[in-house]
Amino acid sequence: MKNKTTLILGAILTFLIILIGGILAYFYLLTPSVTMVDLSNKTIDEVNLFIQENKLNEENYEISYEYSETVEKDKVISQSIEVGKKISEKDILKIVVSNGKDPNLEVSIPDFTNKTESEIKEWFDTNLFTDVSFEYVISDKIEKDKFVSLNVDNNLQKRSALIVVSISAGKDAIGIEIDMPDFKDYTKANMQAWAKSNNITLSIKYESSSKVAEGKLISQSVAAGNKIKTGDKISVTLSSGSGVSVLDFSNKTKAEAEKWVKENKLKATYVQMYDGKVKNDLIISNTPNKGSIKTGGSIQFNISIGLVPIENYTNKTETDFKNYIAKLNASYNKSANIKINVVQEENSKTAGTILSQTINNQVVNSSVNVAPGTTVTIKVSKTPSKKINVVNKANVHIKDFTKYLTDIGLKLGNKTERYSDSVADSLIISNDTGSFTAGTGINYVISIGKFDVNTGILAGKPYSQAQNVINEGNAKGAGWSISKTDVYHDSVAKGNIISCGINGKTLSCNVSLGSQPKVADYVNKPKPCNDSCVINGITYKISSYENSDTIANGYVISQDIASGTVVSPNTTVNLKVSKGKKEPEKVVVDNYVGQTCGKQCTSNNKNYVLTFNEEYNEKPAGTIISQSIAGGTSVNVGTTVNLVVSLGPKPVTKCPTSNVVNTGYNTNDYTQTVNEIRSVYSNFNVVIVDITGETDNPNNLNGTIRNISPFAPELDCGSTITFEVYKPSN
């Protein structure tokens, strides 16, 4: 039994040894052992090769980019794992790669006076400025191709700043018409060379494009073949290659940005900055934040590290605090921008000791976090000064007052000059009194004597000049007043002084109103105003409006004071103004047609005149047949309206017929018979019907009347009578 147990334990032990050995073999034989090498100044391609050869997983390394003024672009600046150390599965290798020199680094631009375009371009290229263009201006003072000016006043500019350099084109090279070429097959250098040779200001910008090759033209502001002039400005857009649409990562995390950068094969620079609004570790902004950038391009993320920490320096020195703030402001891309306000106060503590520290009007006694740009006020101790007592030196001459102050270690402060009726010129009226520190300036008021006015020099001068004299005197304590009386005067211009006099402290002046006003002539001229107005001191008032056949509308008919009359101020002249010709009074004509009033019709007191004509008509006698102006028409008063009145049907007159020239009457001559019929029956409408042919006239009764219709001893005059007369057929 014991041997069997021993065998079982031995088997278990053997299994455990084999298992442990397998695990160890897996980690030491199958898992590669990576020793960290020195990647300093290695290229990004060499870094990727190291990662591939050593089979590092993505979660075991991070590659980030930073700007560097010393390490070349795409070479390693630093690594997080020391050279020679074994890289474990838990280690994360952080590699920082140079993204080239900082495009936002501020560089001082030198004076380019007398420099040529090529020299200036070389300087900007050497100093890595990215947005420089040249424009050409006419100049007859600066030699052609020499520097004229910059578009910026401050010479300290970021490399990414927009810089426009003005170059002299001389005085004859601008305004010449030329053809715009097609830049489709031009390189950037070709475009710039063409622009320079033609004094054209060329602006170049870039856009990513999946269709246009990198460096090739996407668009040009002036189409090929169009006319432009030397000295003009044009712009072109070039392809930066296939690109990635940029997102705005404001308030997003760095991890989100890193993931996006990695997915889109971009290079990222992460800049830590203080910020008063964006929380710690969130992105403040990214550049660019819209549009697109080419694959492999660079993007900068500004990441918030939150508020600026300010230590409490109470009881420390002013120098230490200033050094501390200077170091703070220089860190994190100079984003703190903390300002210092120093207030000195006499105190028993050592001079330069900070007595208190105030932020946002609150005294702080410990460390606080503040927004960038905050001002910190420190109250700093200074050695108490010896106090010197100053007494009142009224009525002392200025020379003696000056000597007094000098002797006690003080000096003259601010001087105030004042007129005085009681203190003579150059004597002290008053001065600061009390205890003062040595070297303090003592303010004082000094007399410039009694104020007076030379009235003689004011005659003929504007009244405002006299006012200025008084105002200037009163500004220095004269205490005078001024008054004026307006008087008409023929020789002194209006507003100027005729004479002035002094009564106590009052200057009284007679001021000219100019010559006494005369009434103007407005008759048959346009009215001067709509109601009333004052012109040269005279009031012209519209008293009434009347119609006039001779004076135009709005013109004056008469005035009650003749022109040229000299009048007193504020006299009123009444004007009578024309309303133009009187419009005739209108009345509406009644409708009379169909009425039976005949010649007894009236205008019903409407002041138009009725006249009458009569004529026979089928309408009953007295009926109005028509009127010359239709009813309802508006006419002037006095207009004549003619009415046509019916006399009724015209009466019928009877005319006798002939007993001789009658049926059977014969002259044996057709023509003679017809003539006699027309002669005898002239009061009638005669109609002759010819009867021809042997059948109708078998007996050849030529010229015989066969029949008359109608026929009676008398018929209505003018009625129609038909005569049938035989007429020969040949």
Side-chain angles (χ1 to χ4, degrees):
M1 186 69 180
K2 183 176 180 182
N3 291 335
K4 186 177 181 180
T5 300
T6 302
L7 288 173
I8 293 172
L9 290 174
I12 292 172
L13 181 60
T14 301
F15 173 76
L16 290 174
I17 291 171
I18 293 171
L19 178 62
I20 293 170
I23 293 172
L24 292 175
Y26 174 80
F27 281 106
Y28 287 97
L29 297 176
L30 299 179
T31 302
S33 177
V34 180
T35 301
M36 189 66 227
V37 299
D38 186 2
L39 295 176
S40 299
N41 278 308
K42 299 292 184 182
T43 66
I44 187 64
D45 290 336
E46 291 175 304
V47 170
N48 288 329
L49 182 61
F50 169 79
I51 291 170
Q52 292 171 6
E53 288 178 344
N54 291 281
K55 299 179 181 180
L56 295 182
N57 297 320
E58 284 190 4
E59 58 269 17
N60 290 116
Y61 68 89
E62 290 179 4
I63 298 176
S64 61
Y65 287 80
E66 288 184 4
Y67 294 119
S68 173
E69 297 298 311
T70 57
V71 179
E72 289 181 36
K73 187 176 182 180
D74 290 330
K75 287 193 173 183
V76 175
I77 298 173
S78 64
Q79 60 192 62
S80 61
I81 298 177
E82 295 178 3
V83 176
K85 182 180 177 181
K86 298 288 185 180
I87 302 176
S88 70
E89 287 185 330
K90 296 181 180 180
D91 288 334
I92 297 177
L93 174 60
K94 295 182 179 180
I95 302 170
V96 179
V97 179
S98 172
N99 203 18
K101 295 189 177 183
D102 187 355
N104 293 314
L105 182 72
E106 291 183 338
V107 179
S108 179
I109 301 174
D111 182 1
F112 290 128
T113 302
N114 293 323
K115 298 292 185 182
T116 65
E117 179 182 348
S118 58
E119 291 174 320
I120 297 169
K121 184 178 183 303
E122 182 182 0
W123 186 90
F124 279 114
D125 288 343
T126 301
N127 286 277
L128 305 178
F129 277 74
T130 58
D131 196 3
V132 180
S133 62
F134 292 83
E135 68 175 4
Y136 304 92
V137 296
I138 296 175
S139 176
D140 55 1
K141 295 181 180 180
I142 299 177
E143 183 183 346
K144 183 179 179 180
D145 199 40
K146 291 293 182 71
F147 172 78
V148 176
S149 64
L150 292 174
N151 67 318
V152 291
D153 295 326
N154 184 1
N155 284 354
L156 190 64
Q157 294 291 327
K158 293 179 179 180
R159 287 169 171 157
S160 58
L162 171 62
I163 305 294
V164 180
V165 185
S166 296
I167 298 294
S168 172
K171 57 182 179 180
D172 301 319
I174 299 296
I176 301 171
E177 198 170 75
I178 58 175
D179 291 323
M180 182 68 203
D182 187 349
F183 282 152
K184 182 179 179 181
D185 295 320
Y186 279 51
T187 64
K188 176 182 175 182
N190 293 149
M191 296 176 195
Q192 291 173 324
W194 176 86
K196 179 179 179 181
S197 64
N198 290 286
N199 294 324
I200 299 294
T201 300
L202 176 64
S203 175
I204 300 175
K205 58 183 179 180
Y206 290 88
E207 285 183 7
S208 60
S209 173
S210 58
K211 297 180 179 179
V212 180
E214 184 176 354
K216 290 296 183 179
L217 180 75
I218 294 176
S219 65
Q220 56 189 77
S221 61
V222 179
N226 284 359
K227 296 290 185 182
I228 61 171
K229 293 180 180 180
T230 55
D232 283 354
K233 297 180 179 181
I234 65 170
S235 63
V236 296
T237 302
L238 303 183
S239 171
S240 59
S242 59
V244 178
S245 295
V246 178
L247 304 178
D248 185 350
F249 279 86
S250 299
N251 283 302
K252 295 184 178 179
T253 64
K254 181 181 178 182
E256 290 176 282
E258 288 175 329
K259 179 182 178 184
W260 179 79
V261 166
K262 198 171 211 179
E263 288 173 350
N264 290 282
K265 299 178 181 178
L266 299 175
K267 298 175 183 177
T269 302
Y270 301 95
V271 178
Q272 291 183 311
M273 302 177 70
Y274 292 111
D275 193 273
K277 296 179 180 179
V278 179
K279 292 181 180 180
N280 189 32
D281 290 333
L282 294 184
I283 294 172
I284 303 167
S285 62
N286 51 283
T287 306
N289 64 353
K290 60 183 178 180
S292 59
I293 56 176
K294 66 178 181 179
T295 304
S298 297
I299 183 168
Q300 176 174 310
F301 296 93
N302 297 325
I303 300 177
S304 173
I305 55 172
L307 298 172
V308 184
I310 303 294
E311 299 292 334
N312 180 26
Y313 268 67
T314 302
N315 294 320
K316 297 180 182 179
T317 68
E318 176 185 353
T319 301
D320 289 343
F321 184 70
K322 287 182 175 179
N323 290 337
Y324 162 69
I325 294 298
K327 185 176 180 181
L328 185 66
N329 284 340
S331 65
Y332 294 108
N333 207 36
K334 300 180 181 178
S335 58
N337 194 28
I338 300 299
K339 301 174 182 64
I340 302 173
N341 178 41
V342 179
V343 177
Q344 291 189 328
E345 182 180 280
E346 292 184 357
N347 191 277
S348 59
K349 289 189 176 182
T350 304
T353 301
I354 296 176
L355 303 176
S356 65
Q357 188 169 311
T358 303
I359 299 175
N360 296 328
N361 297 318
Q362 297 288 326
V363 176
V364 295
N365 297 311
S366 60
S367 298
V368 292
N369 295 325
V370 299
T374 297
T375 297
V376 180
T377 298
I378 54 173
K379 188 180 291 183
V380 180
S381 171
K382 70 173 183 177
T383 304
S385 304
K386 179 183 177 183
K387 299 295 183 180
I388 301 171
N389 190 50
V390 178
V391 299
N392 184 13
K393 287 292 181 177
N395 288 304
V396 171
H397 196 278
I398 182 61
K399 290 182 180 179
D400 296 331
F401 182 66
T402 303
K403 184 176 183 304
Y404 164 72
L405 293 178
T406 302
D407 290 346
I408 61 176
L410 301 174
K411 60 183 179 180
L412 291 174
N414 295 326
K415 176 177 75 172
T416 302
E417 293 182 335
R418 293 188 69 82
Y419 289 104
S420 175
D421 295 335
S422 58
V423 180
D425 184 29
S426 299
L427 298 187
I428 300 299
I429 296 175
S430 64
N431 60 272
D432 291 345
T433 60
S435 297
F436 298 92
T437 305
T440 301
I442 303 302
N443 302 326
Y444 62 99
V445 179
I446 187 170
S447 173
I448 50 176
K450 189 175 182 180
F451 180 75
D452 196 12
V453 178
N454 182 355
T455 58
I457 66 172
L458 294 176
K461 300 291 193 302
Y463 177 65
S464 60
Q465 189 166 323
Q467 289 177 306
N468 289 340
V469 170
I470 298 303
N471 290 338
E472 289 172 3
N474 287 341
K476 294 184 178 182
W480 279 50
S481 62
I482 185 171
S483 65
K484 72 167 181 170
T485 302
D486 292 324
V487 180
Y488 287 103
H489 200 283
D490 291 333
S491 60
V492 178
K494 183 179 180 180
N496 286 357
I497 295 170
I498 302 169
S499 63
C500 289
I502 296 174
N503 182 14
K505 285 191 170 187
T506 299
L507 178 66
S508 302
C509 298
N510 292 324
V511 179
S512 175
L513 287 170
S515 299
Q516 192 165 353
K518 294 180 181 179
V519 176
D521 184 9
Y522 284 104
V523 175
N524 207 15
K525 295 176 182 176
K527 61 182 180 180
C529 48
N530 290 327
D531 186 13
S532 67
C533 49
V534 178
I535 302 173
N536 294 329
I538 299 174
T539 300
Y540 293 90
K541 182 178 180 181
I542 310 301
S543 61
S544 64
Y545 287 87
E546 295 183 5
N547 292 112
S548 172
D549 292 335
T550 57
I551 306 298
N553 182 30
Y555 280 57
V556 176
I557 299 172
S558 63
Q559 56 190 69
D560 64 354
I561 301 178
S563 63
T565 304
V566 176
V567 295
S568 301
N570 302 318
T571 296
T572 298
V573 178
N574 293 303
L575 306 177
K576 187 183 294 182
V577 179
S578 172
K579 294 194 294 184
K581 292 183 180 181
K582 185 176 181 180
E583 289 290 332
E585 186 178 349
K586 298 287 186 179
V587 291
V588 177
V589 176
D590 290 336
N591 183 27
Y592 294 94
V593 176
Q595 295 188 30
T596 58
C597 51
K599 294 174 72 174
Q600 302 305 314
C601 292
T602 68
S603 64
N604 297 320
N605 298 319
K606 289 191 176 181
N607 293 327
Y608 53 84
V609 179
L610 292 177
T611 61
F612 302 90
N613 287 340
E614 295 178 308
E615 64 181 42
Y616 291 107
N617 189 274
E618 294 179 356
K619 300 288 184 182
T623 302
I624 307 302
I625 302 169
S626 63
Q627 57 190 79
S628 60
I629 299 175
T633 303
S634 178
V635 298
N636 295 336
V637 169
T639 298
T640 297
V641 181
N642 183 259
L643 305 181
V644 178
V645 183
S646 174
L647 290 171
K650 186 176 182 179
V652 178
T653 303
K654 296 291 184 177
C655 290
T657 59
S658 173
N659 292 324
V660 178
V661 183
N662 206 325
T663 301
Y665 178 77
N666 180 23
T667 63
N668 294 318
D669 186 304
Y670 172 81
T671 300
Q672 183 179 347
T673 300
V674 170
N675 289 338
E676 288 186 12
I677 291 171
R678 293 189 186 283
S679 174
V680 172
Y681 287 89
S682 60
N683 291 324
F684 297 93
N685 179 31
V686 175
V687 176
I688 304 297
V689 177
D690 296 333
I691 306 300
T692 60
E694 294 181 359
T695 303
D696 292 329
N697 187 10
N699 299 315
N700 195 24
L701 300 174
N702 294 328
T704 302
I705 298 172
R706 189 176 80 167
N707 187 41
I708 301 173
S709 177
F711 186 79
E714 60 180 12
L715 295 171
D716 292 343
C717 296
S719 61
T720 300
I721 302 177
T722 302
F723 292 83
E724 294 179 358
V725 181
Y726 287 110
K727 182 180 181 181
S729 58
N730 52 9

